[in-house]
């Protein structure tokens, strides 16, 4: 990661990791050899796109067209070309990241409200 920005790892699995940059207010997704930086709203849009892929169809359809899924990352020039295993790993990575973002928000709200009162 860059030395000019303070980044915090949010979540990691065998295929990648996500980081939060407080300086740029971005989520950095490192998945395999690919690294993309997304604003929070774009991260949520990207997660919805990944979650909307019908895994059941990918598993049970024998047509070659269902072997991979191509998903673009919002406001970037990057396309993720994912096979079934990669898609599942990316879903796990994004879900874990979303959970950590929600948990951090909840903890900050609780700590801040406890300090105010």
């Amino acid at each position: 990661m860059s030395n000019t920005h303070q980044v915090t790892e949010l979540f990691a699995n065998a295929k990648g990791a996500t980081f939060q940059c407080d300086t740029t207010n971005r989520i950095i997704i490192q998945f395999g050899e690919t690294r993309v930086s997304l604003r929070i709203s774009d991260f949520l849009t990207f997660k919805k796109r990944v979650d909307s892929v019908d895994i059941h169809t990918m598993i049970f359809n024998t047509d070659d067209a269902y072997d991979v899924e191509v998903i673009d990352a919002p406001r970037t020039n990057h396309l993720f070309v994912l096979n079934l295993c990669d898609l599942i790993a990316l879903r796990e990575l994004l879900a874990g990241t979303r959970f950590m973002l929600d948990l951090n928000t909840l903890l900050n709200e609780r700590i801040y409200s406890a300090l105010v009162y």
Side-chain angles (χ1 to χ4, degrees), residues 27-41:
I27 301 298
I28 301 158
I29 301 171
Q30 177 73 46
F31 190 74
E33 299 299 318
T34 303
R35 180 182 296 166
V36 294
S37 176
L38 302 171
R39 295 184 307 185
I40 298 293
S41 60

Side-chain angles (χ1 to χ4, degrees), residues 53-62 66 84 87-88 91:
V53 175
D54 185 0
I55 288 180
H56 186 269
T57 301
M58 284 184 78
I59 293 171
F60 292 107
N61 195 315
T62 58
Y66 293 95
L84 180 63
L87 180 63
I88 291 169
R91 274 190 181 183

